[in-house]
Amino acid sequence: MGAKRHFRVWRGDETGGDLQDYQVEVNEGEVVLDIIHRLQATETPDLACRWNCKAGKCGSCSMEINGMPRLGCMTRMSTFEESETVTVTPLRTFPVIRDLVTDVNFNYQKARETPAFAPPEDLAPGEYRMQQVDVERSQEFRKCIECFLCQNVCHVVRDHEENKKAFSGPRYFIRAAELDMHPLDAKTDRKDYAQASMGLGYCNITKCCTEVCPEHITITDNAIIPMKERVVDRRYDPIVWLGRKIFRRDQLSEGDGLGMSGLPQADGHGAEHKSGVNWHREVPAPQVAPVGDDGKLPISEITFDRAGGPSPFGDDVTFPLPPEGLNYAHPDRDK
Amino acid sequence: MATRIERHHYDVVVIGAGGAGLRAAIEARLAGKKTAIISKSLFGKAHTVMAEGGAAAAMGNVNSRDNWMVHYRDTMRGGKFLNNFRMAELHAKESPSRIWELETYGALFDRTKDGKISQRNFGGHEYPRLAHVGDRTGLELIRTLQQKIVSLQQEDKREFGDYEARIRVFQETTITELLLDGNKVAGAFGYYRESGEFVLFEAPAIVLATGGVGKSYKVTSNSWEYTGDGHALALRSGATLINMEFLQFHPTGMVWPPSVKGILVTESVRGDGGVLKNSTGKRFMFDYVPDVFRKQYAETEEEADRWYTDPDNNRRPPELLPRDEVARAINSEVKAGRGSPAGGVFLDVSTRMSADVIRKRLPSMYHQFKELADVDITKQAMEVGPTCHYVMGGVEVDPDTAAAAGTVQGLFAAGEVSGGMHGSNRLGGNSLSDLLVFGKRAGEHAASYADALTARPKVSTRDLETAVETALAPLERDGGENPYTLQQELQTVMGDLVGIIRRKGELEDSLVRLAELRDRVAKVSATGGRKYNPGWHLALDLRNMLVVSECTAKAALEREESRGGHTREDFPTMRPDWRRVNLVCSLDGDKVRLEHKPVPRMRAELIQLFDRAELAKYLTDEELAEFDALAEEAK
């Protein structure tokens, strides 16, 4: 029989809710998910919480524990002080369904919008030959267990519902990077697509996603930055730049598709969301991150006064933007 | 009827979104059928992700002597010759193609030096045969299939303007009842876990791919979903279950800390050099090599250690015996008082490989022990013990079409929920390939069955009303017991009385206790509303767990021998006359009926793949005489 510990768990649904206090028994070696299960088995049989494998392999029990996005099954109780109150809340970025369960459909919709693997046409099944070193880069990203903690922590969407329409999020940037680095993928415009249609430009490399990843995938350094660098290289290639200046936009290749701001044009991607996610707002067009003479982002964690790069919206912009600055149109009034 | 029911029409409904379900759905969609996938969890969370070691397929990439015949022999041997031979044959022949196909869907397996798919050694497999990705092969498989489904949806979007035009995933949806029109499948009824709203899928063909029954056990590697839903749905619709007495206890589950007790430690730890030791430091597996395997396994530690680098000239270490043997050995050591502090034995890689190699080859094990138990496996030994892992038994199916036997038509089953393929014991790695091979077949044949029907079966309103009443009952009933308490009791009964080592008295006792539980489960009540209410969900799952547990206990009592995943203390040896018997469960009203049915006989060219000396250990004298006659004829 272990000691009683103080837990606060958010209970409620989309209409609202609050933190409720519980005194629960905690035994040696237990994790937060065990305590949630004990609550279900004793005081609150209807406490809603997702879980499956209990071993950090399925990514179902994502929650926020004392404000940190974590897997319930991988958070040992021994990491807290005996007297510490443990507060468990649902993922903040996604709409609450009930208690700790949120509507993560956003992620599945983004998954659908990310172009799938394009098999090489000239190879039959069984003829694929790849070297281990070449598959390893993509394999790192395929470790992803889709817990969506990176999506949850990413500040581009965490408190900005309006960005969800144009921004796919770290999970799908590593998917794009994985396919981009796949030795036999036949599609060649993954990076440009990520920039043009997935909102890669919104990311300003604060590395929060990497920090919360339970699989320790170096999302920012190994996937996002390499894609950004190469996209930026192309965008600032003087020939390409000149081309953009002297041709009319309709003469430019579709693959470029970057628009004037380097950010996705809000044109229909993700427009058909049946399940009631309303990202109707037009996105305020931010600026691309300033690049140095070498055509690269001036990321220097050592000299910069904060962790990560400058805001792509400009450092003088604070959110939320004043309402008059938004080109928002209510969907019903469009008709 | 007061309750609102959402209705959908599909050609093929696949229940279960693990490897078998997704593979079946892909095939049904490729056959042009409008297909629904129903998943109790979120899409991509199925238990397949827990499979670590790999998928067995005789591609011969690492050792060119491997071929389907060797794989077939290993599978039959592992299953102690109780396997449905045709399923084992199809599995051995078709698994390489199914694996190669995954590469065209985008899977990235580990590679050999010449760029082919690398293959690793595993318990019971004669050659390195398991295609793998580190120790997260199951995750790769499920993600690959999930992404293939997305790519098919993208094709449909281009063609029809709608991602879900021909294939749709219903996440967090539980099916509680199959509805029939006469003997034909007409639909599936269930609820959305999220909202508690009811949903009816009208479909002429249904594929069950619901996995296993492990959640009826106290110590298990299985998640909450593994409540035997498919087994119970099949029984209630007139299908039969076979081999339900055979449960695989994976020899190496974590035993500490208590909260993760049962979670799997992959067999590749042993395949890559890990050894099992008892508290005296002895490598005890050498004492547990049974006679039937004596020829294939090393007798000294020196020979065993040489095998890792020179498998052609040495015999394999006894740590790589089939899972049932290793599980029993660990059980005996612990019982004899030579166990570890937490009640397991030690599994050690730290003295066998360098820290770097361990982290490279067993990354998720390193990770799992570090984070869950605060044990550094590069420095310390792991503590492990048996955990309920897999049920060999399941829906009796036609080997070629995966169609369920019994009276029902239009029902198909693939993956763990189906029975026969693995006989009395499954080899590691044969599960991932099983679900690909038979998932594809189930999808294909479900599609052609739907095509061949002249009229669509209809769901009767009365059946639907009954299904609604049954589903709402726990919520409307006051004063019944808490479902969690009942589940714990069921787990205790099964774990203590129908566990690894079984005895007549205990099995009889278990049937009495299960009958009591049945009365109490009939009166279970759930508090709260219909919206995402896990207590209600469990209350509904309990009756499935109960009926399936009853099948297991009954069959275990009936089979008076020890074979593979069924060990009777009072009948400790394998008996050739029992090898010819399948125990078949069906439902008679709400009673489980058990019958004996002959095991299908291997075709001549297949039985001739084996040595007479080996067959002599399994077959009756009468069967051996037939074999000799065949051999004579062949000369």
Side-chain angles (χ1 to χ4, degrees):
Chain A
M1 185 80 180
K4 293 260 182 190
R5 300 268 282 266
H6 186 208
F7 259 73
R8 308 188 77 197
V9 182
W10 195 89
R11 304 286 317 265
D13 55 24
E14 79 277 3
T15 58
D18 50 32
L19 289 168
Q20 295 193 4
D21 292 83
Y22 301 98
Q23 293 293 328
V24 213
E25 180 192 323
V26 174
N27 300 306
E28 198 198 344
E30 287 186 327
V31 293
V32 171
L33 185 61
D34 290 316
I35 312 306
I36 301 289
H37 283 161
R38 182 158 300 127
L39 278 173
Q40 288 180 332
T42 54
E43 288 178 66
T44 57
D46 63 333
L47 169 62
C49 171
R50 283 197 182 102
W51 71 283
N52 276 11
C53 76
K54 255 188 128 235
K57 290 202 167 76
C58 74
S60 300
C61 58
S62 302
M63 49 183 82
E64 299 196 0
I65 299 168
N66 289 349
M68 265 301 279
R70 309 204 45 140
L71 294 178
C73 70
M74 296 301 271
T75 308
R76 286 206 310 268
M77 285 305 298
S78 60
T79 55
F80 306 105
E81 298 293 327
E82 290 273 334
S83 56
E84 199 174 342
T85 299
V86 179
T87 307
V88 185
T89 48
L91 297 180
R92 178 161 120 186
T93 305
F94 310 116
V96 168
I97 293 172
R98 193 157 164 267
D99 302 339
L100 301 177
V101 175
T102 54
D103 178 357
V104 292
N105 258 321
F106 166 74
N107 302 293
Y108 290 100
Q109 294 185 0
K110 294 299 172 186
R112 266 188 200 166
E113 289 163 15
T114 309
F117 172 67
E121 274 176 18
D122 51 337
L123 291 180
E127 287 176 355
Y128 286 36
R129 296 289 177 273
M130 294 174 260
Q131 288 306 307
Q132 183 63 30
V133 327
D134 296 325
V135 299
E136 263 167 18
R137 293 186 303 169
S138 295
Q139 280 181 338
E140 180 191 2
F141 308 129
R142 290 185 72 85
K143 284 197 304 198
C144 172
I145 57 173
E146 300 202 332
C147 63
F148 306 129
L149 290 178
C150 58
Q151 303 283 86
N152 172 58
V153 81
C154 180
H155 60 95
V156 176
V157 284
R158 188 167 170 89
D159 287 313
H160 294 279
E161 193 64 23
E162 71 280 10
N163 286 346
K164 283 185 174 172
K165 184 175 173 185
F167 187 70
S168 296
R171 162 65 187 111
Y172 301 98
F173 296 150
I174 65 170
R175 170 73 171 143
E178 166 216 321
L179 291 169
D180 188 39
M181 297 174 192
H182 189 301
L184 293 175
D185 178 50
K187 204 163 153 55
T188 53
D189 62 344
R190 302 265 177 205
K191 283 185 283 284
D192 293 331
Y193 184 85
Q195 184 72 7
S197 305
M198 297 172 76
L200 184 67
Y202 283 72
C203 167
N204 59 348
I205 321 183
T206 53
K207 300 197 178 181
C208 306
C209 49
T210 307
E211 206 176 300
V212 298
C213 178
E215 284 293 306
H216 308 299
I217 300 170
T218 32
I219 302 173
T220 325
D221 289 0
N222 290 355
I224 296 179
I225 293 178
M227 291 219 295
K228 270 182 181 275
E229 281 182 339
R230 279 173 287 174
V231 168
V232 169
D233 283 350
R234 280 210 44 218
R235 271 190 58 73
Y236 289 86
D237 180 317
I239 310 281
V240 175
W241 176 85
L242 188 66
R244 250 201 312 268
K245 291 287 168 204
I246 57 181
F247 293 111
R248 285 198 320 274
R249 213 183 311 170
D250 57 7
Q251 294 172 306
L252 291 171
S253 73
E254 218 184 318
D256 187 33
L258 296 180
M260 294 313 280
S261 63
L263 281 162
Q265 306 297 291
D267 61 355
H269 279 289
E272 61 303 294
H273 299 294
K274 284 192 215 160
S275 56
V277 185
N278 295 312
W279 308 316
H280 299 295
R281 292 182 176 194
E282 289 280 41
V283 184
Q287 305 296 304
V288 258
V291 285
D293 294 337
D294 58 355
K296 295 190 177 173
L297 285 160
I299 307 299
S300 162
E301 304 278 333
I302 304 151
T303 54
F304 202 53
D305 61 358
R306 74 197 78 154
S311 164
F313 302 91
D315 278 326
D316 53 345
V317 178
T318 51
F319 293 94
L321 293 170
E324 60 274 17
L326 300 175
N327 47 349
Y328 169 76
H330 194 282
D332 291 340
R333 298 195 195 138
D334 284 346
K335 287 168 193 161
Chain B
M1 212 183 314
T3 324
R4 199 181 75 91
I5 301 172
E6 191 178 301
R7 281 173 183 255
H8 293 277
H9 291 257
Y10 282 92
D11 298 327
V12 175
V13 168
V14 179
I15 307 175
L22 298 186
R23 189 62 191 81
I26 289 169
E27 206 58 26
R29 153 66 182 75
L30 289 175
K33 293 284 146 293
K34 200 174 166 213
T35 307
I37 301 168
I38 297 168
S39 167
K40 245 169 130 176
S41 300
L42 292 174
F43 190 29
K45 304 296 183 196
H47 214 64
T48 308
V49 301
M50 296 296 283
E52 291 157 343
M59 297 181 282
N61 288 352
V62 171
N63 191 324
S64 58
R65 287 196 259 175
D66 201 11
N67 59 47
W68 76 264
M69 288 171 280
V70 188
H71 191 182
Y72 173 74
R73 278 204 298 260
D74 288 344
T75 303
M76 293 299 291
R77 213 175 261 151
K80 306 282 194 309
F81 284 76
L82 197 79
N83 320 50
N84 179 307
F85 77 89
R86 176 67 176 156
M87 288 177 89
E89 178 195 0
L90 289 171
H91 168 260
K93 283 181 174 164
E94 292 177 6
S95 46
S97 308
R98 294 291 84 76
I99 297 290
W100 287 324
E101 200 167 64
L102 290 182
E103 287 199 300
T104 69
Y105 300 171
L108 282 172
F109 291 102
D110 286 347
R111 318 306 296 184
T112 61
K113 285 217 166 56
D114 54 356
K116 295 181 186 162
I117 296 174
S118 171
Q119 297 183 272
R120 72 153 48 114
N121 280 305
F122 228 61
H125 292 282
E126 193 169 337
Y127 297 114
R129 187 176 288 146
L130 270 66
H132 58 95
V133 187
D135 49 7
R136 55 159 191 88
T137 317
L139 175 68
E140 182 71 14
L141 206 114
I142 202 100
R143 206 60 85 225
T144 302
L145 294 171
Q146 182 185 348
Q147 285 163 352
K148 174 65 181 176
I149 284 170
V150 165
S151 95
L152 290 171
Q153 289 181 323
Q154 289 173 351
E155 280 175 27
D156 290 346
K157 170 93 157 80
R158 283 193 290 274
E159 194 174 337
F160 304 103
D162 180 5
Y163 286 116
E164 290 170 343
R166 282 195 292 189
I167 187 164
R168 177 164 169 196
V169 183
F170 293 82
Q171 308 194 94
E172 302 201 297
T173 305
T174 305
I175 295 300
T176 61
E177 219 73 68
L178 298 184
L179 304 170
L180 305 183
D181 180 354
N183 283 332
K184 292 197 173 75
V185 159
F189 169 84
Y191 59 90
Y192 290 121
R193 292 165 51 79
E194 217 171 78
S195 61
E197 295 289 322
F198 292 125
V199 55
L200 169 69
F201 299 91
E202 293 188 48
I206 289 181
V207 179
L208 294 173
T210 53
V213 304
K215 215 49 204 171
S216 305
Y217 280 80
K218 207 163 37 177
V219 180
T220 176
S221 62
N222 295 176
S223 85
W224 65 268
E225 295 180 285
Y226 269 46
T227 51
D229 292 7
H231 293 82
L233 290 171
L235 274 179
R236 289 203 292 269
S237 58
T240 50
L241 306 184
I242 57 167
N243 299 347
M244 289 306 290
E245 65 275 33
F246 298 109
L247 278 159
Q248 184 170 74
F249 288 85
H250 194 288
T252 58
M254 291 175 80
V255 293
W256 199 92
S259 66
V260 296
K261 194 164 178 158
I263 287 174
L264 224 57
V265 178
T266 174
E267 198 165 323
S268 29
V269 174
R270 283 170 287 139
D272 286 350
V275 294
L276 290 163
K277 291 179 182 168
N278 61 21
S279 58
T280 67
K282 183 176 180 205
R283 250 178 102 172
F284 59 84
M285 279 310 297
F286 288 97
D287 302 340
Y288 291 93
V289 183
D291 290 339
V292 286
F293 289 113
R294 189 79 65 197
K295 256 176 68 189
Q296 288 107 2
Y297 288 83
E299 278 161 47
T300 63
E301 292 195 23
E302 292 70 32
E303 181 180 5
D305 287 349
R306 284 196 304 268
W307 174 85
Y308 294 106
T309 45
D310 182 13
D312 288 344
N313 298 310
N314 294 285
R315 288 172 299 174
R316 55 202 7 248
E319 275 87 4
L320 294 179
L321 276 161
R323 289 177 173 175
D324 53 332
E325 307 289 351
V326 183
R328 273 198 296 273
I330 294 177
N331 207 50
S332 310
E333 285 296 305
V334 175
K335 271 203 173 158
R338 293 188 293 268
S340 71
V345 295
F346 296 102
L347 172 58
D348 187 29
V349 280
S350 65
T351 57
R352 315 267 305 166
M353 289 181 260
S354 75
D356 283 344
V357 174
I358 295 171
R359 275 192 294 263
K360 173 89 205 357
R361 290 170 74 169
L362 303 164
S364 48
M365 282 302 110
Y366 174 74
H367 192 62
Q368 182 176 320
F369 273 87
K370 193 91 194 99
E371 309 221 351
L372 291 173
D374 203 17
V375 164
D376 183 345
I377 64 168
T378 64
K379 298 199 179 79
Q380 285 164 274
M382 299 164 246
E383 277 187 68
V384 296
T387 173
C388 177
H389 180 52
Y390 188 90
V391 57
M392 270 67 74
V395 181
E396 186 181 13
V397 291
D398 176 81
D400 288 83
T401 64
T407 53
V408 62
Q409 287 169 38
L411 188 64
F412 299 79
E416 188 173 352
V417 71
S418 67
M421 156 73 206
H422 303 289
S424 67
N425 179 46
R426 174 177 70 82
L427 293 185
N430 268 3
S431 179
L432 289 185
S433 41
D434 164 22
L435 51 84
L436 293 171
V437 169
F438 294 102
K440 175 181 184 288
R441 283 183 165 268
E444 183 182 320
H445 290 280
S448 58
Y449 169 84
D451 276 339
L453 280 179
T454 45
R456 261 180 106 95
K458 284 204 174 54
V459 172
S460 92
T461 321
R462 244 186 79 202
D463 290 351
L464 196 57
E465 280 168 6
T466 317
V468 170
E469 271 168 38
T470 314
L472 287 176
L475 284 174
E476 286 165 356
R477 201 179 287 131
D478 283 329
E481 284 182 82
N482 178 338
Y484 294 94
T485 317
L486 289 169
Q487 186 191 26
Q488 274 166 14
E489 281 190 40
L490 173 66
Q491 290 171 337
T492 310
V493 171
M494 293 306 283
D496 293 351
L497 306 178
V498 200
I500 305 186
I501 312 288
R502 300 158 177 180
R503 298 165 194 88
K504 182 166 193 242
E506 290 183 352
L507 289 169
E508 284 167 348
D509 192 20
S510 76
L511 285 168
V512 176
R513 305 266 306 268
L514 288 173
E516 279 167 28
L517 274 171
R518 179 193 276 258
D519 294 337
R520 291 162 64 192
V521 165
K523 286 182 244 146
V524 66
S525 62
T527 57
R530 279 165 67 178
K531 199 168 172 185
Y532 218 110
N533 181 345
W536 177 43
H537 303 160
L538 178 59
L540 293 176
D541 291 344
L542 272 174
R543 63 175 185 146
N544 296 342
M545 297 166 77
L546 202 68
V547 67
V548 176
S549 298
E550 210 176 316
C551 291
T552 299
K554 271 207 160 153
L557 179 61
E558 182 78 4
R559 184 173 284 274
E560 297 185 329
E561 65 158 350
S562 293
R563 177 186 298 274
H566 171 65
T567 306
R568 283 284 294 265
E569 201 180 60
D570 38 359
F571 299 96
T573 54
M574 207 151 53
R575 290 175 40 192
D577 43 339
W578 269 108
R579 193 203 66 80
R580 307 175 72 178
V581 178
N582 271 333
L583 294 176
V584 183
C585 296
S586 56
L587 219 50
D588 184 4
D590 61 350
K591 293 245 171 345
V592 172
R593 183 176 45 204
L594 192 71
E595 286 163 303
H596 289 224
K597 215 170 156 180
V599 172
R601 281 169 45 144
M602 244 187 270
R603 294 199 313 273
E605 76 269 26
L606 291 175
I607 199 160
Q608 283 173 320
L609 293 172
F610 295 93
D611 267 5
R612 189 185 194 280
E614 181 173 20
L615 290 174
K617 297 170 198 160
Y618 298 98
L619 303 190
T620 59
D621 292 342
E622 187 192 333
E623 289 172 296
L624 276 175
E626 285 170 26
F627 176 78
D628 291 338
L630 270 176
E632 200 57 42
E633 229 172 86
K635 270 178 198 167

